[in-house]
Amino acid sequence: MKYSDHARCPGCSGNLVFNITEQMLECESCSSMYTVYEYNNILAEKKKKGSESFSRGALLNVEEGDASKENMLRSYTCSSCGGEITPGAAAATGVCPFCGNALVFTDKYRDQQVPDFIVPFKIDKAQFLEEYRAVLKKRMFVPDAFRVGATFKNIKAWYIPFWLFDVTVSGNASFQVERVSYSNKKYHHVVYSGHGFGSETFTKIPQDASIEVDDRISQMLEPFECTNAPRFSFAYLAGLHAKVYNVSREDCLVRAENRARESFDRYLSDAELYDYYKVTDRQYDYKPLKASYALFPIWHMDIIWQGRKFPCAVNGQTGKTACSIPVSMVKFVCSQLFPWLFCLSLCYWVCALGVIKDGNSMKGMTVLIFLYASVVYVCAKYIFVRNLSTALFSILFTYGAWHFGHEAYKVYSGGEEAFDIALVTAVILFVSIALCCLLWKLVKRQNAFTLAPHCDYCHSDDYQNNVTRSWSREEKKKCNSSAKSIIEGSKRSKNDEDRVGIWYFFN
Ligand SMILES: [Zn+2]
Ligand SMILES: [Zn+2]
């Protein structure tokens, strides 16, 4: 049995926890505040004086430690109350179930590996929930019952272990790139093939080292800014949750090299300038330069709704979110029905005008008012209340449809109007179905967790200087085709800003 550590107040021996808002350690009993630096100094001072009673149970310095390799599942004795706690293999912190003290199992890190640095939490719990609400506002077609009835479970501030790799990739590759333009109902493709060689250093490619954390989520929360990250100290963990790694450095390196390869492909073929790129042949050498071990801050909770679990995570440094939120089919269908209903009512309206002309105006007006009332009802209930801009978009679209139909009616107000109106309605219906499919695709993408195969922000700062590149580029193929891409390569992935642009339009 080992003694657990906890950050002890130098003044009153109370429980210290890391206060994210103040970025200081705060005593739960006497409210004294200490910076991590001050606290570590006080601790070192007390130890020098040999005050054993204080240092047992206070966070020990990083340098010390016995390297006993025991099972990670060992039990601990609370240094305050003597209670027993078994935290589980991956957990490096815990709360004593008897006295409520925030415990840190420092020996787990010492036995395994002490992190090189830590990115402290900047986002506190209130901000985390704020970020979540902001996401909820942005997402489309969220069920009303979810907004009201969803409950949060396991809201925790986690320090997640990450391996960060510096890797130099060098070698040569043959590639094809494609530029696509669209005019006269055809895609125009220009394909270039080329060859390039050079080397490139990627720094701090992050890879989460925890089995429990979904790679897609951790990659969606990137990047973590770690240029000014402080040296690791156990004091940062006080009162928060932390894990030790359970994916080895070697396993993580393989994944990091894959991301480096993908980024080097894009870099070598100048993919940013084209619409598609494809590497046909490559010989790369990977030279791992350095691996550092760090703890990154992630807020995580499970949203429970109708017995289902929706994970939600936020980057504890930047506030970037990764959230899966259910989509209400009812809302979606209703919002899409709006333009269709309008088309239908347009037809009736035209008929009603005909009826008015014939003198039976009451019947025509009744049909008209009834239909518009139902449209307004659907609009108000399912679109307006929750998603104003989608509603505005729908209204704009339906106004266009109305205008078009009306003009068509005026032009063809001869004997054949019925046929023409039907034609216009069919076109509008077709367009709305197409838009509906597009919107559904976007909604699905907005709610999905996705891997980021490359890591373009990891290019080292001085890559402009230490890279030698040369390539030949010859025009290979020029053709018109109905296909979007003829080389079937990877689409140059849009960056987040581009995506946001689409969202502003549809949101
Ligand atoms: Zn105190
Ligand atoms: Zn206790």
Side-chain angles (χ1 to χ4, degrees):
M1 195 91 75
K2 291 219 165 203
Y3 272 104
S4 66
D5 290 323
H6 81 277
R8 186 174 289 188
C9 172
C12 73
S13 285
N15 195 31
L16 287 180
V17 290
F18 189 77
N19 183 322
I20 294 168
T21 326
E22 302 294 332
Q23 293 287 302
M24 283 169 116
L25 290 159
E26 185 180 11
C27 175
E28 285 186 329
S29 311
C30 71
S31 301
S32 305
M33 296 274 214
Y34 306 91
T35 64
V36 171
Y37 180 75
E38 282 167 1
Y39 176 71
N40 283 340
N41 280 347
I42 294 169
L43 206 63
E45 198 76 0
K46 291 226 178 201
K47 235 174 252 157
K48 223 190 274 170
K49 285 182 190 158
S51 95
E52 273 300 314
S53 59
F54 181 80
S55 61
R56 194 194 78 183
L59 289 178
L60 302 170
N61 282 341
V62 170
E63 292 79 17
E64 300 178 19
D66 53 347
S68 63
K69 296 269 182 282
E70 284 180 46
N71 191 331
M72 283 303 210
L73 274 166
R74 62 176 80 105
S75 298
Y76 291 85
T77 306
C78 172
S79 49
S80 285
C81 71
E84 192 186 323
I85 174 170
T86 311
T93 58
V95 174
C96 173
F98 308 104
C99 69
N101 265 358
L103 310 177
V104 183
F105 313 116
T106 52
D107 58 312
K108 283 201 176 189
Y109 283 112
R110 287 211 196 83
D111 289 355
Q112 207 184 34
Q113 182 165 349
V114 175
D116 299 305
F117 61 90
I118 184 167
V119 174
F121 273 93
K122 291 263 154 55
I123 305 271
D124 61 19
K125 190 173 169 182
Q127 286 168 304
F128 163 56
L129 292 173
E130 202 55 48
E131 295 288 346
Y132 163 71
R133 274 182 220 112
V135 167
L136 207 60
K137 237 182 227 170
K138 263 194 202 166
R139 294 288 168 95
M140 283 186 278
F141 313 114
V142 180
D144 286 350
F146 179 83
R147 284 175 201 274
V148 183
T151 51
F152 306 142
K153 241 178 140 179
N154 303 325
I155 305 182
K156 277 178 185 171
W158 282 104
Y159 278 114
I160 302 294
F162 273 76
W163 292 108
L164 297 151
F165 298 98
D166 290 7
V167 176
T168 296
V169 188
S170 55
N172 60 79
S174 303
F175 52 82
Q176 291 186 332
V177 287
E178 179 180 357
R179 200 168 269 154
V180 185
S181 57
Y182 187 76
S183 64
N184 296 331
K185 295 175 192 167
K186 277 223 181 300
Y187 289 103
H188 306 277
H189 306 264
V190 185
V191 174
Y192 303 94
S193 67
H195 187 79
F197 67 90
S199 76
E200 157 80 283
T201 300
F202 296 87
T203 52
K204 296 200 169 72
I205 303 173
Q207 178 61 49
D208 84 71
S210 180
I211 296 171
E212 296 86 21
V213 179
D214 190 329
D215 276 8
R216 295 172 303 172
I217 294 179
S218 66
Q219 290 186 5
M220 279 174 83
L221 298 181
E222 289 173 13
F224 292 86
E225 173 53 45
C226 41
T227 19
N228 297 318
R231 197 167 146 257
F232 178 77
S233 163
F234 287 115
Y236 287 108
L237 311 185
L240 302 168
H241 296 265
K243 284 177 189 287
V244 288
Y245 75 79
N246 47 19
V247 183
S248 72
R249 184 165 56 185
E250 291 69 30
D251 289 347
C252 288
L253 178 62
V254 174
R255 286 185 245 173
E257 281 181 350
N258 286 341
R259 293 180 83 187
R261 183 191 64 216
E262 205 69 38
S263 291
F264 193 50
D265 279 353
R266 291 154 60 83
Y267 185 55
L268 212 53
S269 59
D270 229 352
E272 285 303 310
L273 302 177
Y274 302 90
D275 297 301
Y276 293 89
Y277 70 97
K278 180 189 189 178
V279 173
T280 48
D281 185 38
R282 66 168 87 75
Q283 274 102 36
Y284 293 164
D285 277 330
Y286 305 93
K287 195 172 149 208
L289 302 174
K290 196 177 137 196
S292 18
Y293 180 41
L295 296 183
F296 285 167
I298 291 176
W299 276 100
H300 188 278
M301 68 174 173
D302 293 319
I303 307 164
I304 309 290
W305 185 61
Q306 292 187 346
R308 285 156 74 199
K309 207 162 86 173
F310 301 90
C312 176
V314 166
N315 180 324
Q317 184 190 30
T318 63
K320 206 173 165 200
T321 55
C323 244
S324 182
I325 289 169
V327 178
S328 161
M329 274 309 280
V330 177
K331 272 195 182 186
F332 182 76
V333 169
C334 284
S335 72
Q336 300 312 300
L337 270 180
F338 180 45
W340 296 357
L341 272 177
F342 189 89
C343 298
L344 205 68
S345 66
L346 181 74
C347 293
Y348 275 99
W349 182 61
V350 171
C351 297
L353 278 187
V355 176
I356 292 165
K357 256 191 207 161
D358 294 344
N360 196 352
S361 61
M362 275 314 288
K363 197 177 165 193
M365 287 308 283
T366 318
V367 171
L368 198 70
I369 289 165
F370 173 74
L371 279 161
Y372 272 87
S374 53
V375 168
V376 166
Y377 174 73
V378 171
C379 174
K381 178 127 201 311
Y382 291 103
I383 311 169
F384 247 112
V385 185
R386 293 298 176 205
N387 206 316
L388 186 65
S389 27
T390 309
L392 288 177
F393 171 69
S394 296
I395 288 166
L396 211 72
F397 174 75
T398 43
Y399 173 75
W402 170 79
H403 189 73
F404 189 40
H406 190 62
E407 289 302 307
Y409 173 73
K410 277 202 293 197
V411 173
Y412 296 105
S413 52
E416 293 170 16
E417 72 266 28
F419 173 76
D420 294 309
I421 293 298
L423 190 71
V424 170
T425 311
V427 169
I428 295 168
L429 266 173
F430 180 76
V431 172
S432 17
I433 290 170
L435 271 173
C436 174
C437 293
L438 178 71
L439 195 65
W440 183 243
K441 229 173 131 179
L442 287 168
V443 169
K444 293 272 271 194
R445 199 172 79 182
Q446 201 187 31
N447 283 290
F449 291 133
T450 46
L451 275 175
H454 44 81
C455 172
D456 287 353
Y457 65 88
C458 296
H459 289 286
S460 71
D461 289 339
D462 55 347
Y463 74 94
Q464 302 281 9
N465 302 324
N466 64 20
V467 155
T468 47
R469 283 192 307 190
S470 88
W471 50 47
S472 59
R473 194 178 291 131
E474 62 188 58
E475 206 169 282
K476 196 190 171 198
K477 227 189 253 174
K478 213 173 193 175
C479 80
N480 298 333
S481 131
S482 58
K484 273 189 182 165
S485 163
I486 53 173
I487 63 169
E488 289 173 1
S490 320
K491 195 167 175 33
R492 179 199 62 201
S493 74
K494 285 191 161 63
N495 55 29
D496 286 347
E497 284 77 34
D498 288 346
R499 262 186 217 163
V500 168
I502 300 173
W503 285 119
Y504 275 124
F505 181 67
F506 278 105
N507 260 330

